Amino acid sequence: MDPLLLQITVSIALGLLLGLQRQRTESSIGGIRTFPFIALMGTVSGRIAADYGGWIIGAGLLSLAAVLVFANFLKMKAGQNDPGTTTEMAALLLYLIGVLISTGAMVAAVVLGGVMLLLLHAKVSLHTFAAKVGDHDMRAIVQFALISLIILPVVPNASYGPYGVWNPFSVWLMVVLIVSISLGGYTVYKLFGARAGMLLGGVIGGLISSTATTVSFARRSAADAALAPMAAFVIMTASCVSVGRVLVEIAVAAPGKFVAIIPPVAAMLAACMVIAAVFYFSCRREKSEMPEQKNPAELKAAILFGALYAVVLVAVAAARERFGSAGLYTVAGLSGLTDMDAITLSSAQLAQAEAIDPSTAWRAILIAAMANFVFKFATVAAIGNRRLTIRMIPATGGALAVGGGILWLWPG
């Protein structure tokens, strides 16, 4: 297809999509006919500007702005006092997307158009979410911005400390990754709140903190023994999600070794999902409510994880140098008792740097996961109901048996 014809086609398509959405909102500024013209105006202006100068694009933008101002003036004169500016901003941005299309940046233009469409269509959902955001939640958002947008860019990107494994930028980048995953779960929790069902409750709990979820539901079962079946399912589901988190962390920390590390960890995840499914059928008619979740973007918690991760990095390097793989596995078992993220990220990064074999990395990660199951069972036995403890015995035993079988039988 001729490049110009392709650009015109994409402009019309984006204009029709956005115009249809605006038409359905009964916008009096522009709709399914006006928006394609705006996109085409941007594309044509961009093509002409290639020969006659960029002032053509500026003149087109000012002309469009003048039309929008005049249309709003007529609305106000007719008594339609609508202070909203969403359609006007969408029209101006669509014009610029049309210009972007004329430069050949087709993929970027389509992505921007898709994002615009989603934002326009999700008005009710976004307004509902904003209404649910309180001071506590706003603080979480601001602190995440501090962690990721302010602190990360200024952290030194160089190696320091024993064994040269402390790179402040890499350490804090992993902090941002973990907080991002947890904050995503917290956002889902805010959308669904305490009404989240068992499955969603377990998923959210695993995204935010599977250990905290285990403690919460163990305490609930201690207060009400009838909740034991549901609590067992939620705890096991959260544990599955925590192993799923590991897959994401490996993909980010060791993209070049992902394929070599992932299969045995994925097999462990599959076994955990089977165990969770068995629990589900014993309590699928029960309803559950999510306990109150804490802000996962607290700066103190982020700093503590960063410190833990830095300590694990040094411990892994020292254990590997002095005791070989056995030392690394010992560190993995001890670290995994309370936190799988630090040992997962450190092992994956060592594999990515080819300091250890991928097989050593996945074995360390698997040992950490098994240790984490042991810690959660100990937590349930210490503070949970006896019925819940009995239910968790075969679940924990099954997970440990599968993990041990993978360690023993998996090739490599």
Side-chain angles (χ1 to χ4, degrees):
M1 181 182 289
D2 180 71
L4 178 58
L5 184 59
L6 178 61
Q7 291 173 4
I8 291 173
T9 302
V10 173
S11 294
I12 294 174
L14 287 178
L16 285 171
L17 281 173
L18 293 166
L20 175 62
Q21 198 285 328
R22 289 289 82 192
Q23 186 81 39
R24 287 177 54 82
T25 64
E26 299 181 356
S27 169
S28 57
I29 295 294
I32 195 168
R33 293 187 301 165
T34 307
F35 269 64
F37 288 140
I38 294 172
L40 282 172
M41 180 180 173
T43 300
V44 172
S45 297
R47 295 287 295 198
I48 295 175
D51 295 326
Y52 295 96
W55 67 270
I56 297 290
I57 297 173
L61 187 62
L62 289 175
S63 300
L64 176 59
V67 170
L68 294 174
V69 169
F70 182 67
N72 273 299
F73 172 76
L74 293 180
K75 282 176 59 180
M76 294 176 63
K77 192 173 181 180
Q80 301 178 26
N81 297 318
D82 181 9
T85 58
T86 302
T87 300
E88 290 83 350
M89 293 303 300
L92 292 172
L93 182 55
L94 181 60
Y95 170 83
L96 294 175
I97 288 176
V99 174
L100 187 63
I101 290 173
S102 71
T103 67
M106 207 77 68
V107 175
V110 171
V111 170
L112 283 174
V115 171
M116 283 181 63
L117 182 63
L118 288 174
L119 290 175
L120 290 171
H121 187 68
K123 174 182 177 180
V124 175
S125 299
L126 290 173
H127 285 191
T128 301
F129 174 73
K132 292 182 178 180
V133 173
D135 293 338
H136 177 77
D137 307 315
M138 195 63 211
R139 186 175 67 179
I141 296 171
V142 171
Q143 288 182 338
F144 179 69
L146 172 66
I147 291 169
S148 58
L149 302 179
I150 298 176
I151 296 179
L152 181 63
V154 301
V155 173
N157 189 2
S159 297
Y160 303 96
Y163 305 98
V165 296
W166 282 347
N167 183 308
F169 182 84
S170 296
V171 170
W172 200 254
L173 182 62
M174 295 302 103
V175 171
V176 172
L177 170 64
I178 298 304
V179 173
S180 299
I181 295 173
S182 299
L183 191 59
Y186 185 71
T187 302
V188 176
Y189 164 73
K190 295 304 296 184
L191 287 173
F192 292 93
R195 299 187 308 275
M198 289 186 302
L199 179 59
L200 187 57
V203 171
I204 295 172
L207 288 173
I208 298 175
S209 171
S210 61
T211 301
T213 301
T214 300
V215 172
S216 296
F217 279 89
R219 286 175 176 167
R220 292 179 68 181
S221 74
D224 185 356
L227 293 177
M230 179 268 291
F233 170 72
V234 173
I235 291 171
M236 198 63 208
T237 302
S239 298
C240 288
V241 175
S242 70
V243 178
R245 280 176 55 138
V246 165
L247 305 184
V248 176
E249 292 164 10
I250 295 170
V252 174
K257 304 295 181 180
F258 180 77
V259 174
I261 298 174
I262 205 66
V265 182
M268 180 71 171
L269 173 59
C272 293
M273 292 175 66
V274 170
I275 297 172
V278 172
F279 279 160
Y280 173 76
F281 288 108
S282 67
C283 61
R284 61 184 181 276
R285 293 184 179 85
E286 296 184 24
K287 296 181 180 180
S288 70
E289 292 186 353
M290 281 289 292
E292 184 67 28
Q293 300 294 312
K294 294 182 179 180
N295 169 18
E298 290 283 359
L299 186 59
K300 180 180 178 181
I303 293 174
L304 287 175
F305 175 78
L308 173 64
Y309 178 52
V311 169
V312 170
L313 280 174
V314 174
V316 166
R320 180 174 55 86
E321 181 177 288
R322 296 187 181 185
F323 306 106
S325 297
L328 172 59
Y329 298 153
T330 301
V331 172
L334 293 174
S335 173
L337 285 173
T338 57
D339 186 277
M340 289 175 56
D341 297 322
I343 188 64
T344 295
L345 293 170
S346 58
S347 300
Q349 287 190 326
L350 284 172
Q352 179 69 15
E354 298 187 350
I356 62 175
D357 294 331
S359 62
T360 303
W362 70 252
R363 288 176 188 279
I365 293 168
L366 211 59
I367 289 171
M370 294 168 65
N372 197 250
F373 272 102
V374 172
F375 178 79
K376 287 172 184 172
F377 175 77
T379 301
V380 169
I383 65 176
N385 178 271
R386 183 170 177 271
R387 287 181 60 188
L388 176 60
T389 303
I390 292 173
R391 282 180 170 270
M392 291 304 297
I393 289 174
T396 304
L400 294 178
V402 170
I406 293 173
L407 289 172
W408 184 31
L409 300 174
W410 199 277

